[in-house]
Amino acid sequence: TIRFTNLAVNGLKSTELLQQLDQEQVKRLLAEANLILFTIGGNDLFQQTAGLYVMDEEKLAETAEQLAANYEDILKRIRALNQKATIVYTSLYNPFGDTEAAEDTVKPVLDWNNTAAQIAAGYPGVMVVPTYDLFLNKEQKYLYSDHFHPNADGYARIAERILQALE
């Protein structure tokens, strides 16, 4: 029997995921899991300013630093609850690659993905699955109408990549 529980919340930032990890039901579900999949960071990086396309370098640096600390805490907490489950972190793609914000958003996404992989390397049984290349120059094809989240085909590509990594 396979049981799947989706705890995802649209718009969630890493600080809110940490709060979610304090909930008793979430702790119980994580402790029982054989496989834990999550992604976090897009909302942190791209909602740090008043406008989606306005990049404040100082604010972005502070946000990235806080995201890294939160991500490490997330991994620590999950691993403390469950020492055996495989943990899969799905890294970020750049939803703005085909917009006027492309130049400002490529580096923060790639930098974050690198940081996430380096932090994950310090934890047993954690794999980072790349998605950046899946959307590069294909944003119109694989993003939902909000131009931020994947559409059904985009999620299918991510799922295929995760399955490849788990094989």
Side-chain angles (χ1 to χ4, degrees), residues 10-68:
N10 277 345
L12 206 68
K13 293 183 182 180
S14 60
T15 52
E16 295 160 318
L17 178 54
L18 284 168
Q19 292 169 358
Q20 189 181 31
L21 293 175
D22 287 333
Q23 297 171 11
E24 290 306 315
Q25 180 183 7
V26 172
K27 288 180 183 180
R28 182 182 55 76
L29 289 167
L30 289 171
E32 296 171 355
N34 295 318
L35 176 64
I36 300 166
L37 301 121
F38 79 103
T39 189
I40 199 73
N43 293 318
D44 292 77
L45 293 177
F46 295 117
Q47 292 182 4
Q48 91 283 350
T49 61
L52 209 50
Y53 299 109
V54 179
M55 300 306 268
D56 176 335
E57 293 293 329
E58 186 176 317
K59 181 73 171 167
L60 184 62
E62 291 171 14
T63 299
E65 187 175 319
Q66 184 61 56
L67 175 57

Side-chain angles (χ1 to χ4, degrees), residues 91-94 97 102 105-107 109-110 113 129-137 161:
S91 68
L92 302 183
Y93 54 87
N94 184 7
T105 56
V106 169
K107 185 172 178 358
V109 171
L110 291 175
N113 287 343
V129 175
T131 63
Y132 188 88
D133 63 307
L134 298 177
F135 292 82
L136 184 62
N137 299 320
R161 179 64 59 83

